[in-house]
DNA sequence: CTAAATGCAAACTATTTGCAACGAT
DNA sequence: ATCGTTGCAAATAGTTTGCATTTAG
């Protein structure tokens, strides 16, 4: 594993956020001033392919990168806020209908976040 | 609802596929030769906002547009093939953990499609 | 007559690619 | 000396925007 790949993996695993490639790039640049975006993108792709991180494709927003540890996502329909949530593992349930062979699944739950629920005129 | 919006909605509702904006544009152009891509994009966005269609964000692929009728998606990890599947409605289960206020959810299940399972060297 | 919808071109954002230079075996 | 990794610049893909024109009520 390359130098940057390691650093990027560490960044993602330690972060509580769901960072975009841009954010990762900026973060990494703090300690590695010479790094460029293309390198970050390339490493992110490599890490995804090796199954070490998870890519999160969202609407109207650049991809985000996440730890591999199984968990689901909660997304506010109003402001787009993204948070983690851990529902029970559905793999068994799904395999019941599909047979063996499920690798993984991606569950996004849309709701109205507390902040947006309070306000009459929420963010956005 | 505008002329194109209606036609696009109909296209999406009648199609068995998950069309990209480009595909919808090409399809629509068959009967409406003057239409341009920007108009299709604008209408697709409008339809999404009104909740009449569903946008499907996938990795390494343009967004796809889908009927609103509740159903889940099955995605092949190898060739990316996308198909519909209908698992039981999880809303109750999710609300049990989250409280009321869930609008909807998006469940993508990753597996190896029959074609790719057969081949030693599958598509891609 | 007015407002909304459309066509067109240009802009923009996110991401990828080609290639030369670098660095560690 | 070689091979993978990086920096850099340019290219690409998908999508959005601004504005003039057309269309429908």
């Amino acid at each position: 594993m390359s130098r940057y790949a390691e650093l990027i993996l560490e960044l993602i695993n330690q972060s509580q956020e769901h960072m975009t490639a841009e954010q990762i790039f900026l973060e990494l640049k703090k300690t590695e001033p010479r790094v460029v975006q293309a390198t970050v993108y390339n490493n992110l792709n490599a890490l995804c392919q090796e199954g070490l991180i998870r890519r999160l494709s969202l609407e109207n927003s650049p991809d985000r990168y996440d730890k591999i540890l199984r968990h689901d996502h909660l997304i506010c329909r109003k402001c787009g806020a993204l948070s983690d949530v851990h529902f029970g593992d559905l793999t068994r349930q799904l395999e019941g209908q599909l047979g063996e062979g499920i690798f993984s699944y991606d569950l996004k739950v849309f709701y109205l976040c507390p902040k947006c629920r309070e306000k009459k005129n929420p963010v956005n």
Side-chain angles (χ1 to χ4, degrees), chain A residues 32-46:
Chain A
E32 306 290 319
R34 295 189 41 95
V35 75
V36 296
Q37 310 219 21
T39 300
V40 171
Y41 277 107
N42 289 336
N43 278 296
L44 285 170
N45 282 337

Side-chain angles (χ1 to χ4, degrees), chain A residues 23-56:
Chain A
Q23 290 175 310
I24 291 167
F25 163 68
L26 290 173
E27 201 54 39
L28 187 57
K29 211 161 79 160
K30 288 183 185 166
T31 62
E32 306 290 319
R34 295 189 41 95
V35 75
V36 296
Q37 310 219 21
T39 300
V40 171
Y41 277 107
N42 289 336
N43 278 296
L44 285 170
N45 282 337
L47 288 168
C48 283
Q49 276 190 293
E50 295 164 49
L52 297 172
I53 60 172
R54 200 169 150 195
R55 193 199 317 266
L56 214 41

Side-chain angles (χ1 to χ4, degrees), chain A residues 13 18 51-54 56 66-74 83-94 102-109:
Chain A
N13 279 331
H18 302 84
L52 297 172
I53 60 172
R54 200 169 150 195
L56 214 41
D66 203 352
K67 314 180 222 323
I68 219 55
L69 230 194
R70 257 239 83 256
H71 63 273
D72 308 299
H73 291 114
L74 220 42
S83 50
D84 285 351
V85 64
H86 196 102
F87 294 113
D89 191 324
L90 297 172
T91 309
R92 293 271 162 271
Q93 243 177 100
L94 298 175
I102 291 176
F103 286 155
S104 62
Y105 64 87
D106 176 13
L107 176 60
K108 299 193 182 98
V109 179

Side-chain angles (χ1 to χ4, degrees), chain A residues 106-124:
Chain A
D106 176 13
L107 176 60
K108 299 193 182 98
V109 179
F110 299 98
Y111 81 140
L112 206 53
C113 75
K115 270 179 198 160
C116 286
R117 210 172 307 179
E118 282 174 22
K119 306 180 192 173
K120 198 76 225 127
N121 228 7
V123 189
N124 238 328

